[in-house]
Amino acid sequence: MEMPKATEEEKERFRRVVPDHPGVVVKPMFGNLGAFVNGNMFAGLFGSTIGVKLSPKDKEVLESSERTVPFGPAERPMGGYTGLPEMWNEEGDGDDTRARAWAGKALDYVASLPPKGPKEPKARASRTSKAAQ
């Protein structure tokens, strides 16, 4: 599975598209970026593609009205995420406005979901020392 890396220009565009909100955290992920709220990812960057997690209604509207793309590796796209149209990458600032609007909808939707709890630590196999035997 090939993992395309985003260029610095693509990362900057992603940061411009992500809403400026106090609860939003942008973190690196496998050479790309993810935008999180309450521990849940609402937008991500995979190579040059920005993906958003939308409510079922908004997802249907976007996917039925635009040339969206799968988000993530071609062999295994990320379920629940919609890749914004690739042509928006080429069309300029007007399309960044559309991308920002959809990222805002994704933020609103994911912020309404339960916060992600801390991961449980994995159980470690107990070691018995030879001295204890």
Side-chain angles (χ1 to χ4, degrees):
M1 186 172 1
E2 188 171 330
M3 295 288 284
K5 305 284 190 243
T7 65
E8 288 306 313
E9 183 178 301
E10 290 163 341
K11 290 177 183 180
E12 282 307 310
R13 178 173 183 261
F14 179 75
R15 288 183 181 102
R16 286 193 311 269
V17 165
V18 169
D20 183 19
H21 183 275
V24 171
V25 176
V26 175
K27 304 191 272 191
M29 293 182 57
F30 311 108
N32 294 289
L33 296 173
F36 297 80
V37 63
N38 300 328
N40 295 307
M41 189 168 93
F42 69 90
L45 181 65
F46 186 77
S48 63
T49 303
I50 294 173
V52 291
K53 184 176 182 96
L54 299 166
S55 70
K57 179 182 169 192
D58 285 337
K59 181 176 174 64
E60 183 179 331
V61 168
L62 178 61
E63 291 180 355
S64 67
S65 64
E66 298 287 349
R67 291 187 211 163
T68 59
V69 296
F71 181 68
E75 308 84 29
R76 194 169 178 203
M78 290 180 68
Y81 289 83
T82 299
L84 299 180
E86 293 292 331
M87 61 190 267
W88 288 5
N89 293 345
E90 301 160 8
E91 292 184 357
D93 291 339
D95 292 305
D96 276 356
T97 300
R98 288 196 285 177
R100 273 192 291 279
W102 285 107
K105 287 177 181 284
L107 170 63
D108 292 345
Y109 171 65
V110 174
S112 74
L113 300 175
K116 195 169 224 172
K119 286 186 178 180
E120 291 292 322
K122 291 183 179 180
R124 295 178 67 180
S126 63
R127 291 191 221 175
T128 54
S129 92
K130 291 186 180 195
Q133 292 178 351

